[in-house]
Amino acid sequence: MATNLSIDPRLIEQAREVSGERTKKAAVTKALQEFIARRRQKRLLDLMGKLEWDSAYDYKADRTRE
């Protein structure tokens, strides 16, 4: 999908340099992938202390091979 965006050229160049990507498109794609991954990780961290854990659960018991 072709998209025209007005992005600060200095930011694009910095993103390209720090990512090691050769093209602007690749740098923007990598930046978006990393942004999404970080946001997903943050959502998991936000769950800390909000979930109840069964201290008697034996996770190793589920590892047995049949």
Side-chain angles (χ1 to χ4, degrees):
M1 163 176 68
T3 303
N4 292 326
L5 299 172
S6 177
I7 302 174
D8 184 338
R10 291 174 295 179
L11 290 176
I12 292 283
E13 187 58 27
Q14 286 178 355
R16 198 184 60 72
E17 288 174 5
V18 299
S19 69
E21 297 294 341
R22 296 179 66 194
T23 66
K24 294 175 186 177
K25 178 182 176 181
V28 170
T29 299
K30 181 172 271 190
L32 288 171
Q33 289 169 338
E34 290 182 13
F35 173 82
I36 292 165
R38 286 180 183 263
R39 290 295 171 111
R40 286 182 174 158
Q41 290 171 353
K42 184 182 179 313
R43 285 193 310 204
L44 287 176
L45 289 175
D46 289 343
L47 291 175
M48 293 292 286
K50 295 180 181 178
L51 301 175
E52 293 183 27
W53 299 100
D54 181 359
S55 59
Y57 175 70
D58 183 6
Y59 68 94
K60 291 183 180 180
D62 287 339
R63 293 184 182 176
T64 58
R65 295 185 182 169
E66 297 182 29

